[in-house]
Amino acid sequence: MAKKKNTLTTAFGIPVADDLNSQTAGERGPVLMQDVHLLEKLGHFDRERIPERVVHAKGAGAWGYFEVTADVTNYTKANFLSKIGKKTEVFVRFSTVGGEKGSADAARDPRGFAVKFYTEEGNYDLVGNNTPVFFIRDPLKFPDFIHTQKRHPATNCKDPDMFWDFLSLTPESIHQVTVLFSDRGTPATHRNMNGYSSHTFKWYNDKGEYHWVQYHFKTDQGIKSLTRQEAETLSGKDPDHATRDLYEAIQRGDYPSWTLEMQIMTPEQAKDYRFDIFDITKVWPHSDIPPTTIGKLVLNRNPENYFAEVEQAAFCPGNLVPGIAASPDKMLQARLFSYHDTHLHRLGPNYHLLPVNAPKNAPENSYQRDGFMRFDANGGDGPNYWPNSFEGPTPNPQAAEPPFEVSGEAARHPYGHPNDDFVQAGNLYRDVMSDQDRENLIGNIVDHLGGAQKRIKLRQTALFFKADQDYGRRVAEGLGLDTGEVERLAEMTDKERAEATA
Ligand code: NDP
């Protein structure tokens, strides 16, 4: 903590004479109402907590910069990406997803990897994860999914039945489950993991041509993961180990960095691609779309105040600058709404004025006014409506994204190719993981799934079997299940399997 000498005041700047003894009627008498300093102090303390984030509650953050290292002007007109060597200030927040604000950093969970770029065209938020895929592809399932990762409504404990019941009835989750239960599900520190956009985004250039892209921030510190046993020990001994690691590394000048690689796909490639490129449960294989290096992210400054900077930081995937647009990914479409919405609840309608969220390098010129805690000039005496003839801010058509053709019937369309869901999970297990990775994966699954009811174990193990027979057999053996029964369940349709294990 920094040393500073000042006279203590009330919140309104009035000097305080004594901060150790409340005013009382006599030495042993009751406390007096006229002790306004005491009343103010208690009243503020009573209101110190703001709503916890419903997901990503436990986090750590730091300041730094992003530097462009390759020419990408063919693909995007985003000003902050317009020149090799151009640097943009960033704030980055890492987090776990399911645990509360005081939960352990070493929990098995995806990690949030959210980057706020303070560009000259407004704030650009890239709100990614340390996994390139996600559990579900339709946002209608998101609240249900998160409920199952949190606490049981009656016991208020984490519950393996809830956890695996939902996942085993949601086969599209198999790829992310495989990533999560590998040792990458417990990164050694925030510095030792990658960050992925996971979603597909659109980049468009100044000619109106567009490409589909995915972002990969590759850690320059190297991937390091914890084994299950290491994560369990660390959770008990030092639940804040990754938060502390990030702070201490920056404090000693060991600035963590990530190399940004992009996968870039033409609209023509996307049209005929063998799966839906907007489906967040899938990656784009590197052999089809090789990543190309375009920049560097460096974190070199710690927050001075955790609450002001990290807790109040609010990222919104809808904060996109000209040159970058959303894709039709359904999960992304829902996040465009949900993040802003939850910050309105958590921080209030003027959260964009908080220093960490305010656009540092582009003025805010909107017609939004008033609301709780409007602590700037609130637009002063300027017009508060559009159109107006009083020289208020005017829209700029140059900021529009190129049109994007859509067609089809408005309906609740089920996913058409459910068998696709197992291909990449199988590839990961067979082709990418080492023998040791596979052994740890099986051990991690058996340890966790072992707590669920037998019918749920069978249903989930059938999904592992569908991804890869060896994978399913080894989990079955670890759980003491009949492999023949697992194989029979794997051959059924999702509906039949759900009925057979109801
Ligand atoms: P590649 O062999 O070209 O890529 C495999 C990638 O997997 C690596 O580049 C690495 O990505 C990542 N990886 C390496 N070891 C592990 C591990 N133990 N656990 C999880 N991921 C690991 O093959 P493909 O591109 O065809 O992908 C094959 C599978 O790899 C996918 O199905 C997916 O599960 C996984 N993967 C693919 C990614 C992609 O964008 N194509 C990204 C991450 C994983 P990185 O360098 O980013 O760590």
Side-chain angles (χ1 to χ4, degrees):
M1 282 185 215
K3 285 185 183 166
K4 272 185 204 154
K5 270 197 170 173
N6 280 317
T7 296
L8 178 69
T9 71
T10 68
F12 298 92
I14 302 161
V16 171
D18 181 347
D19 200 30
L20 294 176
N21 302 295
S22 304
Q23 280 188 36
T24 49
E27 203 177 326
R28 303 181 61 205
V31 175
L32 296 181
M33 190 90 180
Q34 69 179 29
D35 189 351
V36 290
H37 171 54
L38 171 69
L39 301 188
E40 180 197 275
K41 190 169 174 179
L42 291 179
H44 192 277
F45 175 72
D46 293 347
R47 291 163 181 80
E48 271 183 10
R49 289 291 171 271
I50 60 172
E52 188 174 276
R53 287 167 164 89
V54 62
V55 283
H56 296 273
K58 174 78 186 288
W63 300 89
Y65 65 87
F66 175 77
E67 181 173 1
V68 180
T69 58
D71 182 5
V72 288
T73 52
N74 261 347
Y75 301 111
T76 175
K77 64 175 184 178
N79 177 275
F80 81 105
L81 297 173
S82 60
K83 230 173 43 197
I84 294 176
K86 191 168 171 70
K87 284 187 181 176
T88 301
E89 185 177 4
V90 298
F91 184 75
V92 175
R93 184 174 182 271
F94 305 109
S95 51
T96 49
V97 180
E100 296 84 2
K101 200 166 168 289
S103 56
D105 286 342
R108 180 169 308 286
D109 211 357
R111 301 293 187 267
F113 193 114
V115 187
K116 190 182 288 294
F117 301 80
Y118 298 94
T119 87
E120 291 151 35
E121 297 174 303
N123 288 356
Y124 169 45
D125 293 345
L126 185 65
V127 196
N129 275 336
N130 74 323
T131 58
V133 290
F134 197 63
F135 298 90
I136 50 173
R137 62 169 75 87
D138 192 309
L140 207 45
K141 301 179 184 179
F142 187 77
D144 303 282
F145 164 63
I146 291 298
H147 289 169
T148 70
Q149 309 295 296
K150 291 200 174 248
R151 292 175 184 276
H152 187 278
T155 64
N156 199 37
C157 295
K158 296 279 177 90
D159 189 276
D161 281 342
M162 283 166 64
F163 187 99
W164 291 105
D165 192 30
F166 178 87
L167 293 174
S168 62
L169 292 168
T170 310
E172 74 210 49
S173 63
I174 190 72
H175 193 183
Q176 174 78 325
V177 166
T178 304
V179 176
L180 181 67
F181 279 85
S182 76
D183 285 344
R184 286 205 180 190
T186 48
T189 72
H190 294 318
R191 295 183 299 131
N192 295 111
M193 63 188 194
N194 295 337
Y196 303 90
S197 62
S198 314
H199 299 294
T200 297
F201 285 90
K202 185 201 275 178
W203 272 10
Y204 57 94
N205 63 20
D206 53 9
K207 294 187 214 104
E209 298 158 343
Y210 72 87
H211 287 77
W212 301 113
V213 300
Q214 296 209 339
Y215 298 64
H216 304 243
F217 287 99
K218 307 291 280 284
T219 173
D220 294 331
Q221 292 67 242
I223 294 267
K224 277 193 204 138
S225 306
L226 302 169
T227 62
R228 173 172 85 256
Q229 295 80 359
E230 286 167 342
E232 282 169 0
T233 307
L234 208 47
S235 295
K237 267 175 118 169
D238 185 4
D240 305 316
H241 86 277
T243 305
R244 179 173 298 105
D245 171 83
L246 179 68
Y247 192 93
E248 289 180 354
I250 293 174
Q251 200 171 34
R252 66 174 179 266
D254 180 8
Y255 301 140
S257 64
W258 286 260
T259 299
L260 176 57
E261 296 179 0
M262 300 296 298
Q263 283 185 293
I264 302 178
M265 197 187 276
T266 64
E268 293 71 40
Q269 281 174 303
K271 225 177 251 169
D272 302 323
Y273 202 63
R274 61 183 186 278
F275 58 79
D276 176 3
I277 62 149
F278 307 123
D279 175 359
I280 193 173
T281 68
K282 306 209 169 52
V283 296
W284 298 355
H286 291 145
S287 49
D288 289 355
I289 312 288
T292 160
T293 298
I294 73 132
K296 199 164 209 55
L297 176 74
V298 179
L299 298 182
N300 58 9
R301 181 159 67 89
N302 275 318
E304 271 184 25
N305 184 280
Y306 181 85
F307 181 85
E309 293 155 71
V310 187
E311 189 61 10
Q312 293 197 124
F315 299 84
C316 307
N319 287 341
L320 299 161
V321 289
I324 304 176
S327 75
D329 176 338
K330 294 177 204 178
M331 289 297 293
L332 173 61
Q333 293 279 320
R335 293 178 78 208
L336 301 178
F337 157 75
S338 216
Y339 280 65
H340 177 59
D341 186 53
T342 197
H343 298 318
L344 292 174
H345 158 69
R346 194 171 70 86
L347 300 166
N350 287 310
Y351 74 89
H352 61 290
L353 298 176
L354 295 166
V356 66
N357 300 325
K360 285 174 192 290
N361 295 314
E364 182 217 343
N365 285 322
S366 78
Y367 290 106
Q368 287 153 33
R369 295 288 188 274
D370 308 351
F372 283 117
M373 304 305 289
R374 183 82 210 201
F375 53 82
D376 67 347
N378 194 31
D381 63 355
N384 59 358
Y385 58 93
W386 175 259
N388 67 69
S389 55
F390 290 94
E391 299 192 342
T394 51
N396 178 0
Q398 298 291 321
E401 76 175 269
F404 171 61
E405 196 180 302
V406 291
S407 62
E409 290 177 349
R412 298 186 184 276
H413 296 283
Y415 183 67
H417 315 281
N419 279 331
D420 284 5
D421 290 337
F422 300 92
V423 174
Q424 293 194 346
N427 290 345
L428 176 61
Y429 179 82
R430 273 185 307 272
D431 307 333
V432 178
M433 289 187 176
S434 65
D435 286 344
Q436 187 66 54
D437 290 336
R438 280 188 283 266
E439 195 177 316
N440 293 5
L441 169 75
I442 305 292
N444 295 341
I445 292 171
V446 169
D447 181 67
H448 198 288
L449 181 55
Q453 294 176 21
K454 186 172 176 199
R455 65 192 178 92
I456 297 175
K457 283 184 204 161
L458 281 165
R459 196 197 293 144
Q460 179 64 40
T461 307
L463 301 188
F464 295 129
F465 189 87
K466 278 174 75 84
D468 182 276
Q469 298 197 356
D470 177 66
Y471 187 6
R473 273 196 207 104
R474 286 173 70 179
V475 173
E477 281 161 19
L479 291 169
L481 299 174
D482 174 354
T483 318
E485 203 175 348
V486 169
E487 285 188 36
R488 275 192 297 283
L489 286 167
E491 280 160 18
M492 295 178 184
T493 63
D494 294 346
K495 190 158 173 280
E496 288 165 347
R497 190 179 320 111
E499 282 166 5
T501 52

